[in-house]
Amino acid sequence: MNPLDFSRHPGPAGATCAKPTLSPRRRRLRRTIWILALIGVMGFAFGLVAYLINRPKLYRPDEKLDDITSSLARNLPTNAPRPTFVDVTREAGLASFRTFAGARTSQLPEDMGAGIAWGDFNNDGFDDVFLVSAGGPLTASITNLAPCELYENLGDGTFRRVEGFPLTRIHGMSAAWADYDGDGYLDLVVTGYNTILLFHNEGGTGRFTRDTRFPDLPGFWSSATWGDYDNDRLPDLYVCGYVQYSATEAERTRISAQVGTAVPYTLNPSSYTPALNRMFHNNGDGTFTDVSQQLKVTDPDGRSLGALWQDFDDDGWLDLYVANDISDNVLYHNLGGKFEDISHLACVADYRSGMGLAAGDYDRDGDDDLFIGHWVGQENALYDNLWADTHRADPVSGQQRIAAGMPGNAGTGVSARADHLSFTDVADMVGLGQIALPYVSWGTEFVDFDADGWLDLVVANGSTLEEEGPYPRKLKAQETFLFWNDHHRYFHNIAPLNKSLSTPLVGRGLAVSDYNNDGAMDILISFLGEGVQLLKNDMKIGHWLKVRLRSKLKNGAPFGFADGAKVIAHIGEVGVRRTVSSASYLSQSSRTLHFGLGPAERVDSLEVRWLGGETNFYQNLSANATWEIVEGEPVPKLFIPRAVHAPASSTGIDPPSSMVVADSNKARVLEFWRRLRDGMNAMKVEKDNAKAIRLFQEALELDPKHEDARYYLGQCLAAQGDFPGALAQFEELTRINSHSHRGFQQWGVVRACSAASDADLAAAEESLERAHGLNPEETGALLVLGEVSLMRGNNAKAETRLAAVCQTNAKPFSSLFLRGYLAWKQGDLSQARAFLEKARSAMGKDWKPNGSTAEGDVKGQQHVESTPLARYWNGWDGQPDPERAYTQLAKYVETLQGKP
């Protein structure tokens, strides 16, 4: 027997031992443990299934996560404009151009280009454009590369290829215009892989010859940019070297990593040693000297893709900023023709992948800021220039003050000026940083697209990462950014509201120009493997002003193109800055400076700071016009494009009949533009309306359907008191163009100004309502509608219309004045005084009245005014006394309504 077998061992009193039993409490505890264990196992199983279904994916640097790149168009402010851009590439005759021919072989020089350069090579007032082609695969023969091409702007919205430009088949990168020999015509430099070419413009004829004195150096040359670094009135040339590229068959099969992404070794710039940059000094005789080493601007550690000339500290010397790929960017501060690297002191060294560059005073604080486009996963940068904040004049002493806490220069070897040039990256704070994480940003430019007085920002995007699949692979496409500047508080991307801007493509170069001279800035983008896209700006815009500068050369001749000159348009207390400079990415924008003025109808003072010269001031320049300013001449001239050229038959485009001319009629067209230009000068500069009327009439005999000539003829006739003649011209204008907002508005204004009965006012109101319906965002017609309602005795409707003007217009002086009149007529003196005080405040501290309103010949004085009641609010003396301000206006309104 097993002594341990209790079941068989006899117990006390002969009983056998039974199996022990658990108490009810212990049984419940065991059951609970089993239930909890089962629940835990089931919970783990459900959790595992949920994880497998919803497990997080590995983030790719170009992945668009909703929390990062959710469309800002969903929460746009109510005052954000609509981005009405129309793709007119085919109609303009640019659709046949290609940026790449053949299939990629996944090599770096194939994918980095190409650029765009706007420049008026024949000085006719219309920007022409040079289109760079990346050519094709490195393995292709020269004859199979897509050529670069020059297109002449014909002035009617179309372009034709210039046959006389030398055939240029290269692996192209950048292009930039400048008059390097001082003959008054823009020349052209073109760069690419193992290519630097300089073309001389032979007198604006369309014929260009290659200047063989400039060496065609081997190297991977990216951006080329002109800048007069020593202020001798001769443009010097800075050319960026990217990497020392070479590829073998073995390297083409290797794989490397970029930000956690596998890419071909031959597409990774880290695979290659940085190349040196070159500075070519212009000797003044058509030759150049390489002074890169002497000036210490070779940037030996940088893989340079972009460079920008800009006077960041307003000392009259152009500084140089270089954007580098996966290496520190460099800011070379110009100290009187010598350079000093202050990149780290200025806080702009920025070790990321810099490509596109743009400079502009986005916040209107009096200095130029810097935008940089980057690679995926890096955010873009907006460097706010702190110069104006730290160097404003002391209000007591008038001396410059330096902000407290700025580092001193003792023992650093850095100049006092350089020590105080500093920037801070505010991209995230204003909406330009995080949104760019999945994108690769290239061409970019600050432009006031809606002419509200604030610089907007456009950015071309396109990945360098390849799509999945067999070779040859395409690069990943990305959509363009268009950031609307909401009074420097925030940049809202409104591109998703426009099909052309939101269609993904592989963007590279970008440049802007008002190519059709309508006052709205247009966009041209280059797409790798595609072609170019010309986007015509049809946005509702404010008033604008454009400036063309001609500077004096070293010999005193006024043939220069004012490279580096800075212009400040003063509108009341606001200063709006523009500079004759361009960088973008491999590209160059128009030299004609564009100012958005918002509601302002004139620039009070235009300040021109000539690089290496004096500062000139020009007063009271009217809006919606292009002004030409020649250095040293005291009076600016209205500029009108000189000619419209015969379109090339190869385009297959039929421009409007009023603009199409044969070569035999070119003299007639030239004469038309001469008379129109002279008429504009007589009207706006000489203030001679009689002379202007004659010239406009002569111009219309040559082109009866020209809308500008007819519109300004009507204006001059009205100013001379010929109301029937003016009405006839505006009526004809609306017949020629049934959507002419200005035609209907001015007909209504003149009819109201000359009204002899309520029927006249009713007819004026009908025409003004038509004008307001065509352009509801413009307040001019709405203001006159409010005046007409007041004149007809409909005060409630007048208040509604005038209140709407106050909500839209930034300085609603006239509407506030008239709303005070309506309050006064209702007996509310306190409200009337309040409106008068607001009207006075809206005009600013420097406003002075034109003089008191006199009784007498009302109708005889009205024709010089812009609205029927303008003489009353223009004649107000600024005193908040309703009786004094409104008595004469009340008498006039009562007379119109037949009251004694």
Side-chain angles (χ1 to χ4, degrees):
M1 180 178 72
N2 185 352
L4 299 180
D5 188 359
F6 292 104
S7 62
R8 299 179 60 88
H9 191 74
T16 59
C17 289
K19 188 175 182 178
T21 60
L22 298 174
S23 67
R25 181 178 178 182
R26 289 176 64 86
R27 285 198 300 271
R28 285 196 301 272
L29 178 62
R30 188 167 67 176
R31 239 185 349 258
T32 301
I33 292 172
W34 276 103
I35 291 172
L36 290 175
L38 181 63
I39 291 173
V41 170
M42 293 177 63
F44 175 79
F46 280 120
L48 179 62
V49 171
Y51 171 80
L52 293 175
I53 294 175
N54 299 298
R55 64 174 179 254
K57 299 177 182 178
L58 182 65
Y59 172 69
R60 290 175 54 88
D62 62 335
E63 186 177 352
K64 300 176 186 176
L65 300 182
D66 188 63
D67 60 331
I68 293 177
T69 59
S70 55
S71 173
L72 295 180
R74 299 176 196 161
N75 300 305
L76 285 177
T78 56
N79 61 328
R82 301 298 95 178
T84 314
F85 285 83
V86 181
D87 188 339
V88 296
T89 313
R90 185 165 300 280
E91 295 89 333
L94 300 177
S96 62
F97 174 76
R98 309 319 295 160
T99 57
F100 199 91
R104 297 174 57 255
T105 62
S106 299
Q107 298 192 68
L108 199 59
E110 298 171 349
D111 294 351
M112 304 307 292
I116 295 162
W118 289 102
D120 183 6
F121 76 79
N122 53 8
N123 293 340
D124 67 352
F126 292 98
D127 279 332
D128 312 297
V129 65
F130 187 82
L131 306 179
V132 183
S133 175
L138 289 188
T139 55
S141 65
I142 292 295
T143 56
N144 289 329
L145 298 179
C148 305
E149 294 178 350
L150 174 63
Y151 284 84
E152 180 185 10
N153 188 339
L154 301 176
D156 57 4
T158 69
F159 297 79
R160 68 176 170 199
R161 187 166 62 86
V162 177
E163 301 290 344
F165 193 87
L167 184 63
T168 307
R169 296 184 187 272
I170 60 175
H171 299 287
M173 291 287 285
S174 75
W177 295 95
D179 179 15
Y180 73 85
D181 62 343
D183 65 352
Y185 292 94
L186 290 173
D187 310 301
L188 183 70
V189 64
V190 182
T191 70
Y193 181 58
N194 287 327
T195 300
I196 304 178
L197 301 175
L198 185 61
F199 295 101
H200 182 258
N201 184 348
E202 304 295 338
T205 60
R207 182 170 168 264
F208 288 75
T209 58
R210 182 182 161 196
D211 192 333
T212 56
R213 293 174 297 177
F214 195 94
D216 186 8
L217 301 172
F220 194 164
W221 305 113
S222 52
S223 286
T225 180
W226 298 92
D228 181 9
Y229 77 86
D230 54 356
N231 283 0
D232 65 354
R233 297 302 177 97
L234 297 169
D236 309 296
L237 179 63
Y238 190 78
V239 182
C240 293
Y242 186 31
V243 296
Q244 299 179 37
Y245 183 83
S246 62
T248 64
E249 285 299 321
E251 288 176 341
R252 290 175 59 188
T253 60
R254 290 176 62 184
I255 297 297
S256 64
Q258 269 187 296
V259 196
T261 302
V263 300
Y265 181 87
T266 51
L267 285 181
N268 190 343
S270 298
S271 304
Y272 304 99
T273 304
L276 297 180
N277 299 344
R278 301 291 188 97
M279 175 80 84
F280 296 98
H281 177 261
N282 190 335
N283 299 323
D285 57 1
T287 66
F288 294 81
T289 300
D290 187 344
V291 293
S292 315
Q293 297 287 350
Q294 174 186 334
L295 295 177
K296 300 178 181 179
V297 291
T298 58
D299 191 13
D301 299 321
R303 298 170 177 87
S304 301
L305 285 173
L308 177 146
W309 291 102
Q310 195 81 15
D311 181 9
F312 286 111
D313 57 354
D314 279 349
D315 66 350
W317 295 86
L318 290 177
D319 308 307
L320 178 64
Y321 189 82
V322 182
N324 291 323
D325 199 359
I326 52 172
S327 41
D328 280 352
N329 293 350
V330 179
L331 175 57
Y332 292 111
H333 186 239
N334 191 339
L335 302 175
K338 298 180 180 180
F339 291 94
E340 190 169 38
D341 182 351
I342 62 166
S343 315
H344 292 277
L345 286 172
C347 302
V348 288
D350 195 346
Y351 187 96
R352 285 182 273 187
S353 295
M355 281 90 74
L357 294 172
D361 187 10
Y362 84 94
D363 52 359
R364 300 200 317 202
D365 67 346
D367 53 30
D368 292 316
D369 311 297
L370 177 66
F371 176 82
I372 309 174
H374 290 128
W375 202 63
V376 293
Q378 296 179 347
E379 297 193 352
N380 292 336
L382 176 60
Y383 283 105
D384 185 15
N385 189 349
L386 306 179
W387 181 259
D389 296 331
T390 58
H391 288 74
R392 299 189 193 281
D394 185 274
V396 177
S397 66
Q399 300 295 315
Q400 282 191 338
R401 58 180 173 82
I402 306 300
M406 294 295 290
N409 64 324
T412 65
V414 177
S415 71
R417 289 182 302 171
D419 193 33
H420 298 295
L421 186 58
S422 183
F423 298 77
T424 183
D425 188 356
V426 298
D428 269 335
M429 292 190 291
V430 296
L432 297 176
Q434 195 178 58
I435 188 176
L437 279 172
Y439 294 84
V440 183
S441 295
W442 306 87
T444 181
E445 197 65 272
F446 279 115
V447 195
D448 188 357
F449 286 114
D450 58 346
D452 66 347
W454 295 90
L455 285 173
D456 309 307
L457 183 70
V458 59
V459 185
N461 297 312
S463 185
T464 57
L465 299 177
E466 297 177 318
E467 294 180 348
E468 301 295 333
Y471 290 97
R473 293 175 175 174
K474 291 186 176 181
L475 297 177
K476 294 183 177 181
Q478 297 181 323
E479 60 271 24
T480 300
F481 288 146
L482 180 61
F483 293 106
W484 172 66
N485 184 349
D486 185 9
H487 296 78
H488 89 273
R489 294 184 294 262
Y490 204 83
F491 283 88
H492 298 273
N493 182 26
I494 58 176
L497 303 178
N498 183 279
K499 182 179 180 181
S500 296
L501 291 167
S502 59
T503 299
L505 291 166
V506 184
R508 288 296 185 266
L510 177 148
V512 298
S513 165
D514 180 13
Y515 80 95
N516 55 359
N517 286 327
D518 65 353
M521 296 299 286
D522 311 296
I523 306 171
L524 185 62
I525 308 176
S526 173
F527 297 102
L528 184 63
E530 302 287 340
V532 296
Q533 183 183 52
L534 179 60
L535 298 175
K536 183 166 71 73
N537 184 354
D538 282 346
M539 294 177 69
K540 302 294 184 184
I541 65 173
H543 294 296
W544 53 271
L545 180 138
K546 295 199 302 180
V547 178
R548 289 170 58 97
L549 299 177
R550 296 306 296 260
S551 56
K552 289 185 177 179
L553 302 180
K554 198 171 184 179
N555 61 9
F559 294 151
F561 289 89
D563 299 82
K566 188 176 280 102
V567 180
I568 305 173
H570 298 279
I571 311 159
E573 297 182 357
V574 174
V576 182
R577 296 160 60 98
R578 301 290 185 268
T579 304
V580 184
S581 175
S582 179
S584 187
Y585 174 72
L586 311 178
S587 302
Q588 184 179 49
S589 294
S590 174
R591 269 183 167 72
T592 301
L593 302 180
H594 174 272
F595 297 84
L597 307 181
E601 296 183 354
R602 66 179 53 250
V603 169
D604 299 323
S605 175
L606 193 76
E607 178 182 353
V608 182
R609 301 176 185 174
W610 305 95
L611 187 68
E614 298 180 351
T615 298
N616 299 141
F617 291 88
Y618 304 90
Q619 308 298 324
N620 295 321
L621 300 185
S622 58
N624 305 329
T626 301
W627 294 89
E628 183 174 67
I629 296 176
V630 179
E631 185 176 9
E633 294 187 3
V635 179
K637 298 178 181 178
L638 277 166
F639 180 85
I640 296 178
R642 198 174 61 205
V644 177
H645 304 275
S649 59
S650 61
T651 63
I653 305 299
D654 293 325
S657 60
S658 64
M659 305 298 285
V660 176
V661 292
D663 286 334
S664 60
N665 288 331
K666 187 172 182 179
R668 179 185 179 91
V669 176
L670 288 170
E671 185 62 20
F672 164 80
W673 284 105
R674 184 188 69 78
R675 297 188 188 190
L676 180 61
R677 180 176 61 248
D678 291 346
M680 295 288 288
N681 274 302
M683 178 183 69
K684 292 195 172 186
V685 178
E686 300 173 20
K687 309 297 183 184
D688 188 341
N689 286 317
K691 179 181 177 181
I693 289 170
R694 174 177 56 79
L695 289 165
F696 287 138
Q697 288 172 337
E698 292 172 354
L700 285 169
E701 289 177 2
L702 296 168
D703 187 354
K705 293 185 178 180
H706 198 277
E707 295 182 30
D708 283 348
R710 198 163 295 280
Y711 175 78
Y712 289 116
L713 173 59
Q715 292 279 61
C716 290
L717 289 169
Q720 291 291 92
D722 184 357
F723 301 127
L727 291 170
Q729 295 302 323
F730 294 130
E731 187 172 353
E732 178 64 14
L733 177 57
T734 59
R735 189 190 67 78
I736 294 171
N737 180 2
S738 61
H739 292 84
S740 177
H741 160 266
R742 60 180 180 173
F744 285 107
Q745 177 171 323
Q746 286 308 119
W747 192 95
V749 169
V750 172
R751 189 66 179 269
C753 285
S754 59
S757 66
D758 186 68
D760 290 335
L761 292 173
E765 188 169 27
E766 182 181 356
S767 186
L768 290 162
E769 286 174 342
R770 178 76 178 273
H772 183 60
L774 288 169
N775 188 0
E777 296 180 13
E778 206 277 326
T779 59
L782 192 60
L783 169 63
V784 186
L785 279 168
E787 292 190 1
V788 170
S789 297
L790 186 154
M791 294 161 70
R792 299 186 72 189
N794 193 337
N795 289 358
K797 183 181 286 188
E799 168 61 24
T800 300
R801 287 169 166 170
L802 294 171
V805 174
C806 290
Q807 292 175 355
T808 306
N809 197 316
K811 294 177 65 175
F813 163 69
S814 53
S815 296
L816 291 168
F817 178 85
L818 294 173
R819 292 179 72 187
Y821 170 81
L822 295 172
W824 178 66
K825 290 296 290 182
Q826 291 180 337
D828 191 341
L829 293 180
S830 62
Q831 183 73 349
R833 290 192 189 94
F835 274 122
L836 285 173
E837 289 172 353
K838 289 180 180 179
R840 177 66 185 84
S841 177
M843 294 306 293
K845 63 181 182 180
D846 296 326
W847 173 77
K848 293 181 176 58
N850 291 332
S852 60
T853 302
E855 296 186 53
D857 183 10
V858 173
K859 195 175 296 185
Q861 296 177 20
Q862 277 185 332
H863 67 268
V864 299
E865 305 295 355
S866 57
T867 73
L869 303 181
R871 72 190 192 91
Y872 292 100
W873 40 266
N874 273 334
W876 177 49
D877 61 7
Q879 298 299 317
D881 179 358
E883 292 289 336
R884 184 171 178 174
Y886 297 130
T887 298
Q888 297 301 322
L889 174 57
K891 289 181 179 180
Y892 173 59
V893 172
E894 290 171 358
T895 301
L896 285 176
Q897 296 171 4
K899 298 177 181 179

